[in-house]
């Protein structure tokens, strides 16, 4: 049985290191300190969301339909993943965000309830 890689120590929660790789075919073993991919730090749920987002080619409307969640929830999950990957969110002006929300509402991309939620987040 194959188990998923554990990236955090179950005792102290610090990041684990991979120190050994083994080929089951030829039995070659390599020992050293290897780093995990940034994506290894994502939770199972975050990885699932990222897969859906990619298969939907980044189309938030499609992600909403696929997962049955609202635009603000999709946006929140993306923000969470960006942070988990270690990237800073770009600071935008509140006025630019408000105009974008209004434009999305006018285009029918989001509901009035979603627009209100987004404007309250600013």
């Amino acid at each position: 049985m194959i188990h998923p890689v554990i990236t955090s120590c179950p005792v102290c929660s610090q990041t684990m290191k991979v120190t050994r790789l083994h080929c089951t075919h030829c039995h070659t073993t390599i020992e050293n300190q290897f780093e995990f991919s940034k994506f290894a730090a994502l939770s199972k749920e975050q990885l699932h969301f990222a897969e859906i987002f990619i298969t939907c080619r980044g189309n938030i409307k499609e992600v909403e339909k696929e997962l049955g969640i609202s635009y603000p929830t999709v946006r929140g999950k993306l923000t969470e993943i960006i942070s988990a990957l270690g990237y800073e969110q770009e600071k935008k002006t509140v006025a630019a965000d408000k105009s974008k929300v209004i434009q999305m509402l006018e285009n029918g991309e989001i509901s009035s309830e979603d627009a209100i939620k987004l404007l309250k987040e600013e």
Side-chain angles (χ1 to χ4, degrees):
M1 175 186 221
I2 297 176
H3 300 282
V5 176
I6 299 170
T7 59
S8 296
C9 176
V11 176
C12 69
S13 299
Q14 292 296 311
T15 302
M16 302 284 282
K17 293 278 184 189
V18 176
T19 59
R20 184 175 172 176
L21 300 173
H22 180 75
C23 175
T24 57
H25 177 72
C26 71
H27 305 290
T28 298
T29 299
I30 302 171
E31 293 189 22
N32 207 329
Q33 283 198 5
F34 305 98
E35 291 185 12
F36 289 110
S37 152
K38 287 183 178 186
F39 289 95
L42 299 180
S43 70
K44 188 183 239 183
E45 294 79 20
Q46 289 171 326
L47 282 171
H48 175 70
F49 178 84
E51 287 178 26
I52 297 296
F53 185 79
I54 291 167
T55 58
C56 290
R57 292 180 164 74
N59 184 317
I60 292 179
K61 287 286 259 186
E62 292 298 316
V63 175
E64 287 179 73
K65 289 177 190 173
E66 182 76 24
L67 297 176
I69 57 177
S70 68
Y71 176 88
T73 304
V74 172
R75 183 175 159 184
K77 288 182 178 291
L78 282 173
T79 300
E80 182 182 296
I81 290 172
I82 291 167
S83 294
L85 291 173
Y87 296 104
E88 293 286 326
Q89 276 290 349
E90 191 176 299
K91 299 290 181 188
K92 296 181 181 179
T93 64
V94 173
D97 283 346
K98 286 183 180 180
S99 65
K100 184 177 179 181
V101 170
I102 292 168
Q103 185 65 41
M104 289 176 10
L105 180 62
E106 288 174 351
N107 293 341
E109 295 174 21
I110 59 173
S111 68
S112 57
E113 293 83 16
D114 288 343
I116 291 168
K117 287 178 189 173
L118 288 170
L119 292 171
K120 285 183 178 180
E121 286 179 7
E122 305 300 332

